[in-house]
C-alpha cells in the first residue's frame, strides 16, 4: 500500500486545529476513568491529525522547526521543510513501492515529524514504513537505524540500542546508527559507554550531530567548559539553518543552566536569526526572560510555544508562569495547562510511547502524587539515569517518603551535572529528613547556580532557606 495524500492546508491552520483538538480533549476529560483513557486518547490522535493516523498520512503543510538533535540524515532535512520531504517520498513510493531505502527514509521522517510537531500519532506511520522497508530488505542498515530512532523516540532505549548495534553491523559508518547508539546509552544511564560511543562516532562520522551529543555527555559528567568548547566548535562548522539554530539553542540552554541569562539570550537570538520559528529557541528565550524578571514577555513567548507544540515540559512551564503571576484567572489558566499535559500523555501512550517520566515529573507537582510515584518507580526499573533518579526522588518526597528519597536524590547529583532543579530537590529532601545544614547548603547552591531555575521552585527554595534559619 503506497502512502496517500490530502489537500495541503496552511501551517498555522493545522497547528491551530491540533492545539484546539488537544484543548477540547483535555476539557472534556478532566474526570476520566482509567478504562476510558486509551480509547479517548486514540480518538484525540485522529482529531489532532485530521484522520492522518491511518497509514500514509497527509502532508500538514508548512515548515516544521528542524533540529539535528535527532539521528536524521542531514540530506533529509537540508531543505528545512520536512513536510515537503515526506510528500516527495510518498509520491515516489506510489510508483516505486519496493524501494526499501525510501521506505526507511520515510519512516525516519515520520519519527522526526512526530518529535518536532509534538504529535505522537506519527509513530505508528513510522512503524509501518519501517516494517515495509525491512520486509523488502531485511538487513537494510538505514531501516535498522531508523528503528533505533523510533524506539528512542518512544522512550524504549534498550531496543533502540539493539537496533543501532544491528545497523552498525551492516554499516559501521551509519551516521544515524552512531548517533542513536549514543542517545540510547545516555538514556540508559550508561554515561561512560556513551562517552566511548561518542569518541567512536567522532572518528567515523564527525559532524554537528556527533558534536552536540559529545557535548551533552560532557555536560552530564560536570564538564561544562568542555561541553561549551565542543558546542562552539559545532556552531563554527554549522552550514545549514537547522544546524545553526539547533547548536545555538543548545549553547543557550547550557548558559541558562549556569544562570548566565544574558549569554543565553544572545545564543537564542542567534538561533532565531537562523530560524525564527525554532521552538526550542523560542522556549529558551521565554525561560531566560522569566529569569530576568520580564514576566510579560516570558508568558507571551511561552504561550506562542504551546500554541504550536503543546508538549508536557512547555505546558508545565507556562502553567507555573501563570501561577507565579497570580493575576485574576491565572489559577484556572494554570490548571488548563496541567490538564493538557494529561491529554498529551494519554495520546503518547495510545501511540506506543512510554510516558512514565513525563507523568512522574508533571504529576509530582501538579497532579496525582500517587500516580507520579508509580510512574517514577516504573521508569527507574527500566533505566537508571540522573533524570530518572531525580524524578523518583521527588516523587517519593511529595508522597512523604523523604528517607527513601534521599539516596536517589544524591545519585541524581553524583555525576556533577549542573542542574539547579536536581540540587533544589536534594536540598528540600535533606531538610525534610532532618539534615538541616546539608539541606540549606544544597538550596543555597541551587540558587547560586541558577537563581531563576523555576519561578515556583526558586520561590520555595528561598522560603525554605528563610524558614530553616
Amino acid at each position: 500500500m503506497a502512502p496517500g495524500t490530502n489537500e495541503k492546508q496552511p501551517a498555522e491552520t493545522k497547528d491551530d486545529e491540533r492545539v484546539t483538538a488537544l484543548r477540547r480533549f483535555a476539557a472534556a476529560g478532566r474526570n476520566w476513568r482509567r478504562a476510558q483513557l486509551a480509547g479517548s486518547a486514540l480518538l484525540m490522535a485522529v482529531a489532532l491529525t485530521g484522520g492522518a493516523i491511518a497509514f500514509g498520512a497527509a502532508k500538514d503543510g508548512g515548515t516544521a522547526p528542524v533540529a539535528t538533535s535527532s539521528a536524521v540524515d542531514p540530506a533529509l532535512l537540508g531543505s528545512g521543510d520536512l513536510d515537503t520531504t515526506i510528500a516527495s517520498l510518498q509520491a515516489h513510493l506510489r510508483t516505486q513501492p519496493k524501494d526499501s531505502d525510501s521506505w526507511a527514509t520515510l519512516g525516519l521522517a515520520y519519527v522526526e515529524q512526530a518529535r518536532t510537531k509534538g504529535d505522537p500519532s506519527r509513530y505508528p506511520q513510522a512503524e509501518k514504513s519501517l516494517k515495509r522497508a525491512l520486509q523488502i530488505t531485511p538487513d537494510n542498515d538505514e531501516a535498522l537505524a531508523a528503528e533505533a530512532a523510533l524506539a528512542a523516540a518512544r522512550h524504549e532505549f534498550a531496543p533502540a540500542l539493539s537496533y543501532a548495534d544491528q545497523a552498525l553491523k551492516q554499516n559501521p559508518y551509519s551516521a544515524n546508527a552512531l548517533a542513536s547508539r549514543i542517545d540510547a546509552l545516555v538514556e540508559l544511564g550508561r554515561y561512560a559507554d556513551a562517552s566511548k560511543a561518542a569518541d567512536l562516532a567522532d572518528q567515523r562520522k564527525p559532524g554537528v550531530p556527533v558534536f552536540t551529543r559529545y557535548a551533552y555527555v560532557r555536560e552530564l559528567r560536570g564538564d561544562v567548559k568542555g561541553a561549551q568548547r565542543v558546542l562552539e566548535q559545532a556552531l563554527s562548522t554549522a552550514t545549514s539553518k537547522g544546524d545553526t539554530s539547533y547548536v545555538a539553542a543548545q549553547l543557550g540552554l547550557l548558559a541558562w543552566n549556569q544562570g548566565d541569562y544574558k549569554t543565553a539570550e544572545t545564543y537564542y537570538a542567534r538561533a532565531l536569526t537562523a530560524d525564527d520559528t525554532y521552538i526550542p529557541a523560542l522556549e529558551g528565550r521565554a525561560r531566560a526572560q522569566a529569569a530576568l524578571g520580564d514576566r510579560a514577555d516570558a508568558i507571551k513567548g511561552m504561550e506562542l510555544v504551546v500554541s504550536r507544540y503543546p508538549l508536557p515540559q512547555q505546558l508545565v512551564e507556562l502553567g507555573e508562569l501563570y501561577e507565579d503571576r497570580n493575576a485574576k484567572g491565572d489559577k484556572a489558566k494554570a490548571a488548563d495547562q496541567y490538564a493538557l499535559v494529561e491529554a498529551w500523555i494519554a495520546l503518547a501512550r495510545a501511540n506506543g510511547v512510554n510516558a512514565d517520566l513525563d507523568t512522574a515529573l508533571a504529576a509530582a507537582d501538579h497532579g496525582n502524587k500517587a500516580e507520579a510515584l508509580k510512574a517514577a518507580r516504573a521508569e527507574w526499573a527500566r533505566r537508571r539515569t540522573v533524570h530518572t533518579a531525580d524524578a523518583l526522588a521527588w516523587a517519593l518526597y511529595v508522597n512523604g517518603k523523604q528517607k527513601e528519597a534521599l539516596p536517589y536524590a544524591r545519585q541524581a547529583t553524583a555525576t556533577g551535572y549542573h542542574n539547579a532543579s536536581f540540587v533544589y530537590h536534594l536540598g528540600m529532601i535533606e531538610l525534610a529528613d532532618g539534615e538541616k545544614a546539608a539541606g540549606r547548603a544544597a538550596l543555597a547552591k541551587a540558587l547560586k547556580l541558577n537563581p531563576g531555575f523555576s519561578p515556583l521552585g526558586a520561590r520555595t527554595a528561598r522560603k525554605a532557606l528563610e524558614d530553616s534559619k
Side-chain angles (χ1 to χ4, degrees):
M1 177 181 176
T5 58
N6 287 341
E7 184 179 354
K8 178 176 179 179
Q9 296 185 30
E12 290 184 4
T13 300
K14 292 296 286 187
D15 285 342
D16 289 345
E17 289 177 2
R18 196 160 38 239
V19 175
T20 298
L22 185 58
R23 292 185 184 280
R24 285 176 182 161
F25 179 71
R30 295 207 179 121
N31 296 316
W32 293 333
R33 296 293 181 265
R34 287 177 183 272
Q36 299 172 323
L37 202 56
S40 297
L42 188 58
L43 291 175
M44 183 177 72
V46 177
L48 284 171
T49 60
I53 195 169
F55 184 41
K59 173 182 176 184
D60 281 344
T63 302
V66 174
T68 53
S69 59
S70 65
V72 179
D73 189 323
L76 174 65
L77 302 178
S79 68
D81 189 343
L82 191 59
D83 295 331
T84 297
T85 300
I86 288 174
S88 297
L89 287 166
Q90 289 172 336
H92 170 74
L93 286 165
R94 288 193 201 91
T95 61
Q96 302 293 330
K98 293 189 176 182
D99 183 348
S100 64
D101 285 349
S102 289
W103 281 112
T105 304
L106 179 61
L108 190 59
Y110 280 142
V111 172
E112 180 67 357
Q113 191 178 55
R115 192 187 65 77
T116 57
K117 288 184 176 295
D119 182 0
S121 68
R122 303 298 187 194
Y123 293 134
Q125 299 166 236
E127 186 175 2
K128 290 181 179 180
S129 295
L130 297 177
K131 182 179 179 180
R132 177 65 65 88
L134 290 169
Q135 285 175 339
I136 298 167
T137 310
D139 59 354
N140 185 322
D141 68 273
E142 292 184 17
L144 290 167
E147 287 277 20
L150 173 60
R154 284 175 155 172
H155 299 176
E156 297 293 345
F157 298 107
L161 180 59
S162 177
Y163 278 121
D165 285 339
Q166 291 177 54
L168 289 170
K169 285 182 180 178
Q170 301 299 324
N171 177 9
Y173 294 89
S174 168
N176 293 334
L178 288 165
S180 286
R181 189 168 191 276
I182 302 169
D183 293 342
L185 289 167
V186 165
E187 296 298 339
L188 289 168
R190 294 170 55 180
Y191 300 134
D193 289 338
S195 182
K196 293 175 183 177
D199 288 337
L200 178 63
D202 191 36
Q203 292 170 15
R204 292 182 179 177
K205 208 76 175 179
V208 168
V210 173
F211 291 156
T212 52
R213 286 167 170 82
Y214 198 90
Y216 185 52
V217 171
R218 284 179 174 268
E219 184 186 0
L220 284 171
R221 302 179 81 178
D223 184 5
V224 173
K225 290 184 178 179
Q228 183 176 353
R229 284 195 303 270
V230 173
L231 286 174
E232 288 174 346
Q233 180 183 356
L235 187 59
S236 70
T237 63
T239 55
S240 71
K241 290 183 178 180
D243 282 354
T244 300
S245 58
Y246 174 66
V247 179
Q250 289 299 299
L251 279 161
L253 179 58
L254 186 65
W256 183 85
N257 277 336
Q258 316 315 310
D260 187 354
Y261 308 130
K262 288 295 186 181
T263 298
E265 279 193 316
T266 299
Y267 280 121
Y268 288 131
R270 183 165 179 181
L272 292 168
T273 298
D275 179 358
D276 62 5
T277 68
Y278 189 55
I279 292 297
L282 291 169
E283 177 192 355
R285 183 177 65 182
R287 192 184 294 120
Q289 288 168 334
L292 287 166
D294 188 358
R295 183 190 289 152
D297 281 344
I299 290 176
K300 183 178 178 180
M302 200 62 74
E303 286 174 340
L304 174 63
V305 169
V306 302
S307 73
R308 295 180 179 178
Y309 303 103
L311 297 174
Q313 180 177 335
Q314 292 90 334
L315 289 164
V316 167
E317 287 182 298
L318 178 57
E320 291 189 348
L321 285 171
Y322 286 140
E323 284 196 67
D324 183 55
R325 183 173 64 181
N326 198 29
K328 183 178 180 181
D330 276 348
K331 186 175 181 180
K333 288 181 180 180
D336 285 344
Q337 306 313 307
Y338 306 142
L340 288 172
V341 174
E342 295 180 12
W344 186 93
I345 288 171
L347 171 60
R349 286 176 170 163
N351 286 280
V353 179
N354 168 19
D356 279 335
L357 186 58
D358 297 293
T359 300
L361 292 171
D365 286 324
H366 306 293
N368 185 316
K369 292 177 173 54
E371 183 65 22
L373 181 53
K374 179 182 176 181
R377 287 194 191 279
E379 192 66 13
W380 179 253
R382 276 188 289 268
R383 56 191 180 111
R384 301 192 171 187
T385 70
V386 292
H387 294 88
T388 52
D390 172 70
L392 178 54
W394 196 240
L396 285 163
Y397 166 77
V398 299
N399 279 277
K401 300 177 182 294
Q402 57 267 16
K403 192 167 293 294
E404 187 181 350
L406 191 52
Y408 295 107
R410 287 175 174 163
Q411 187 167 340
T413 56
T415 68
Y417 181 38
H418 291 208
N419 187 304
S421 290
F422 289 11
V423 182
Y424 156 66
H425 289 163
L426 173 63
M428 294 298 293
I429 292 167
E430 286 174 330
L431 282 182
D433 197 45
E435 299 192 21
K436 183 176 178 180
R440 285 182 54 81
L443 293 177
K445 180 180 178 181
L447 291 169
K448 182 179 179 181
L449 173 62
N450 185 355
F453 69 89
S454 160
L456 300 185
R459 181 201 302 168
T460 301
R462 288 191 292 269
K463 185 176 187 301
L465 277 173
E466 182 65 27
D467 291 346
S468 62
K469 282 183 179 179

